[in-house]
Amino acid sequence: MLQIQTTGGTRHEELDAWVREVAAHTQPDAVVWITGSEGEIEQINAQLVEAGTFVKLAEDKKPNSYHALSDPQDVARVEDRTYICSVEEKDAGPTNNWMDPTAMKRTLWPLFEGSMRGRTMYVIPFVMGHLDADDPKFGVEITDSAYVVASMRVMARVGSDVLARIEETGAAYVKGLHSVGAPLEPGQEDVAWPCNETKYIVHFPEELAIWSYGSGYGGNALLGKKCYALRIASVMARNEGWLAEHMLILKLTSPEGEVHYIAGAFPSACGKTNMAMIQPTLPGWKAELVGDDISWMRFGEDGRLYAVNPEFGLFGVAPGTGRSTNPVAMDTIERGHSVFTNVARTADGDVWWEGMTSEPPAGLTDWHGQPWTPEADHPAAHPNSRFCTPITQVPTLAPEYDDPRGVPISAIMFGGRRKTTVPLVTESRDWQHGTFIAATLSSETTAAATGAVGVVRRDPMAMLPFMGYNASDYFAHWLSLGRRADAEKLPKIFLVNWFRKSDGGSGDFLWPGFGENSRVLKWMVDRIEGRVDAQESPIGYLPRPEDVDTEGLGVTPEGMASALAFSQEEWEAEVPLIQEWLDTFGDELPAALREELAALEQRLEEA
Ligand code: GTP
Ligand code: SPV
Ligand code: MN
């Protein structure tokens, strides 16, 4: 076998053997073990500039920051190419693509043969969550993409410290194998964004392995994020009695000084990062960020549910982010050290996207790398363009983000984009009812995944694309955690919808959203603290109009009433859709969820 030039290495024999096996098969020019040092990342960035993948932004605009444009066919997660290859098909369940793991490997392994030729293979040791957690969750990603290295270094804690800990403890680690699937023949010129039309995002939950082929896009390629911290971790969580969820974590302090940590599950591009960075418009309220995408939650000795953010960076949707909507995000990226992908570039070396300012600056280059004017038939930035930024730059970062013990959760919000039907806020009756609301959550699809946008689909717990196992078992896990816990100490569960529109869904947003969502948070805190009553409705508890603080809010009383309204007619139309959704699970569906549907129908009849 040819000796491949290698920088770094490990004394962990099994890890060493795996890396060697992959290198022999994928045939890179060189192997580099990522240490996480400053010098190393400077070199990687310089290489990415040299390759044309990165363009350095002006130092006085965005210090130490880079602009990247992907191949136009590699802009989002590919849900139809994502597989859960559990040994048994039933463990993947009806919501996941499945293939027998041996058959899948027989398909994929040949694709990886020689797939890294002409490229460098990087080995990235990483930990999701804190290195000093009681049970740190390790991973090693092998990738032939320097863009992935630059991004993983922002998104997770990576490098030599982590490797040393894996070596010392012999702890289990997830093996992530990633290739863009674009080998270079000798003398062949590279492209700025190598990828392959054929894509596979494959999880082998029993062997803690992820194989990703053909894409360089975030959620497909940064394997610590959705692939590990949600899909693989959800399986670990079920086995070990905890929860791995698609949730933001927010620290909220009331004017009275009460602190509440609130988690929120909204589907992709439905407002998690914005809520995590909220600047309350209500005077005296303070909000700080703990996490903006993923939450790992387990019960503490005091019986409360504690959440940690396993990530170390933000991979945020750019469009819609501006001074008026999300000033905290703007301040975060101003500090630089960021990678911007598929946004537009300004003539003076800065970035721009729809919603950053009301008027686009002149002289833009769009996400295809072409000159762009407002007359163009497409947006300047791709709707799923992203900023990748260290969490430590968030000016409202709560110090607890770095506490391996996590923060005690007082409430969980579930939400989505629904033009109709779903009121601004509803409180569930109890944990089981909350689990039903979550399991039947629905939202219009967004540009975060390939496929049609704006189509209502069920997205249970905002985890439809991220559940690593059978959804029925997942619901059962939620129900059983609730039953085992002390009901008094369980978080309250709320359903929220910032996206309801007037005129039966065809008009404008009824609710201004963003910082004004603090008015809804205040009502939740009032409910948690037992300060206000609520109105019972067939779908749960609704705020009495007088309990939502509308002081200074630019919404008419009628608009407010429409945003908060429960509609008998709309819910009578919703029930058959919920029924149809639950029917897809057949007999495996936990009986409690069917009972909740029956109870909802009963309450609707009696209303
Ligand atoms: P992922 O990172 O894909 O998981 O998305 P996310 O859930 O973090 O969504 P994000 O906060 O990035 O918001 C997605 C889009 O929704 C952005 O364009 C936001 O501007 C917009 N958005 C967020 N919050 C609100 C809101 O309260 N009201 C309205 N109308 N739009 C919102
Ligand atoms: C999402 O799609 O939910 C994201 C972006 O947060 S990605 O990490 O690419 O999945
Ligand atoms: Mn986000």
Side-chain angles (χ1 to χ4, degrees):
M1 192 180 71
L2 218 79
Q3 194 62 40
I4 301 170
Q5 194 197 326
T6 301
T7 310
T10 181
R11 56 190 172 85
H12 189 300
E13 282 177 27
E14 185 267 348
L15 172 56
D16 181 63
W18 173 57
V19 170
R20 282 175 193 278
E21 181 198 10
V22 170
H25 187 65
T26 58
Q27 302 159 32
D29 283 351
V31 176
V32 171
W33 288 71
I34 293 301
T35 64
S37 76
E38 282 303 317
E40 172 188 81
I41 194 64
E42 275 167 30
Q43 211 178 324
I44 299 252
N45 288 339
Q47 230 171 283
L48 282 159
V49 170
E50 174 77 14
T53 311
F54 275 0
V55 171
K56 193 172 188 317
L57 295 171
E59 204 53 32
D60 60 333
K61 305 284 183 197
K62 299 281 182 293
N64 193 25
S65 295
Y66 298 89
H67 181 237
L69 296 179
S70 81
D71 185 299
Q73 55 98 339
D74 196 24
V75 295
R77 284 183 295 99
V78 283
E79 295 181 2
D80 55 334
R81 308 300 305 160
T82 301
Y83 291 78
I84 301 297
C85 293
S86 43
V87 172
E88 301 285 342
E89 181 170 11
K90 70 168 174 32
D91 288 328
T95 63
N96 283 309
N97 298 312
W98 177 86
M99 205 198 275
D100 170 75
T102 311
M104 178 57 92
K105 286 185 178 170
R106 226 180 279 135
T107 304
L108 276 185
W109 194 238
L111 292 181
F112 280 102
E113 183 171 2
S115 74
M116 299 190 185
R117 271 199 305 256
R119 302 191 181 281
T120 298
M121 178 178 119
Y122 301 95
V123 184
I124 317 171
F126 65 94
V127 62
M128 298 312 293
H130 213 284
L131 196 52
D132 294 320
D134 285 344
D135 176 22
K137 297 296 188 196
F138 295 108
V140 175
E141 176 165 357
I142 294 179
T143 178
D144 56 5
S145 164
Y147 171 89
V148 166
V149 176
S151 307
M152 273 295 283
R153 191 179 174 278
V154 173
M155 296 307 298
R157 296 160 173 95
V158 310
S160 303
D161 300 1
V162 179
L163 178 61
R165 201 67 74 84
I166 298 174
E167 290 171 339
E168 283 157 24
T169 60
Y173 65 97
V174 171
K175 289 185 171 72
L177 169 55
H178 170 252
S179 173
V180 292
L184 292 167
E185 298 313 320
Q188 186 184 339
E189 207 183 315
D190 202 359
V191 292
W193 187 277
C195 61
N196 195 303
E197 249 174 81
T198 301
K199 294 176 177 46
Y200 281 96
I201 318 299
V202 179
H203 309 73
F204 303 100
E206 285 95 349
E207 48 181 293
L208 302 184
I210 305 160
W211 290 13
S212 168
Y213 180 86
S215 171
Y217 169 75
N220 301 329
L222 312 180
L223 302 186
K225 195 170 172 53
K226 300 294 166 82
C227 298
Y228 183 160
L230 288 179
R231 297 197 190 96
I232 297 287
S234 64
V235 176
M236 295 173 161
R238 178 200 43 186
N239 295 341
E240 298 167 10
W242 50 283
L243 293 165
E245 298 297 332
H246 193 202
M247 290 182 187
L248 69 97
I249 310 166
L250 174 70
K251 178 183 181 183
L252 196 61
T253 308
S254 72
E256 293 76 32
E258 301 147 338
V259 172
H260 287 287
Y261 300 94
I262 298 182
F266 312 147
S268 301
C270 291
K272 290 182 302 299
T273 299
N274 277 268
M275 174 53 78
M277 293 183 153
I278 190 170
Q279 285 294 86
T281 49
L282 287 178
W285 286 78
K286 184 174 172 191
E288 293 161 273
L289 177 145
V290 178
D292 84 317
D293 196 48
I294 300 179
S295 171
W296 285 358
M297 302 193 288
R298 54 180 89 226
F299 285 99
E301 274 163 22
D302 62 359
R304 295 194 67 189
L305 191 59
Y306 282 76
V308 301
N309 169 14
E311 300 192 277
F312 204 43
L314 315 171
F315 188 59
V317 175
T321 308
R323 287 268 150 219
S324 63
T325 54
N326 191 347
V328 174
M330 295 305 288
D331 288 340
T332 303
I333 60 174
E334 282 316 277
R335 297 183 176 184
H337 311 278
S338 301
V339 178
F340 298 88
T341 304
N342 288 339
V343 303
R345 204 165 67 232
T346 67
D348 57 359
D350 204 347
V351 287
W352 189 84
W353 46 75
E354 280 70 18
M356 181 192 279
T357 53
S358 49
E359 294 298 322
L364 284 176
T365 302
D366 70 11
W367 75 275
H368 295 287
Q370 299 300 316
W372 186 92
T373 63
E375 286 73 47
D377 63 355
H378 61 275
H382 187 276
N384 191 41
S385 53
R386 300 262 168 180
F387 55 84
C388 178
T389 304
I391 196 170
T392 49
Q393 292 184 189
V394 176
T396 58
L397 185 62
E400 300 90 316
Y401 91 94
D402 204 26
D403 186 340
R405 289 167 307 181
V407 294
I409 297 297
S410 300
I412 301 174
M413 294 177 272
F414 288 95
R417 289 176 183 264
R418 286 294 305 265
K419 289 187 185 65
T420 66
T421 315
V422 178
L424 183 63
V425 58
T426 313
E427 182 188 327
S428 67
R429 303 163 67 87
D430 52 31
W431 183 268
Q432 177 174 303
H433 180 232
T435 303
F436 169 77
I437 283 177
T440 58
L441 190 70
S442 56
S443 190
E444 292 144 22
T445 51
T446 67
T450 57
V453 168
V455 181
V456 174
R457 69 172 184 184
R458 298 293 137 182
D459 193 341
M461 283 78 169
M463 283 285 283
L464 180 71
F466 309 118
M467 284 184 188
Y469 62 100
N470 189 314
S472 290
D473 296 339
Y474 179 94
F475 301 150
H477 183 51
W478 264 77
L479 291 165
S480 84
L481 287 182
R483 281 187 205 114
R484 272 192 277 152
D486 178 347
E488 290 294 296
K489 293 180 177 167
L490 280 169
K492 273 187 182 294
I493 297 178
F494 295 90
L495 176 65
V496 299
N497 180 20
W498 321 132
F499 300 95
R500 202 175 191 184
K501 291 184 171 175
S502 61
D503 304 321
S506 60
D508 298 328
F509 287 124
L510 284 165
W511 180 250
F514 302 104
E516 302 293 11
N517 294 336
S518 58
R519 298 171 191 271
V520 175
L521 295 174
K522 174 180 186 289
W523 182 73
M524 290 178 188
V525 169
D526 285 340
R527 290 292 295 162
I528 294 163
E529 294 286 345
R531 278 195 286 259
V532 295
D533 238 324
Q535 318 181 58
E536 202 167 345
S537 86
I539 58 171
Y541 299 106
L542 303 174
R544 301 177 304 187
E546 66 269 28
D547 292 329
V548 181
D549 189 335
T550 53
E551 171 111 28
L553 178 69
V555 175
T556 60
E558 304 78 65
M560 195 64 218
S562 308
L564 290 173
F566 156 75
S567 157
Q568 175 84 16
E569 199 185 326
E570 286 178 334
W571 278 90
E572 278 172 5
E574 188 75 2
V575 159
L577 303 176
I578 295 175
Q579 175 88 55
E580 193 187 332
W581 165 245
L582 295 185
D583 284 349
T584 59
F585 302 102
D587 293 344
E588 289 180 4
L589 187 80
L593 297 183
R594 250 184 233 300
E595 287 159 20
E596 285 293 335
L597 176 59
L600 169 62
E601 286 180 285
Q602 178 83 36
R603 292 192 300 265
L604 281 167
E605 260 169 47
E606 287 164 5

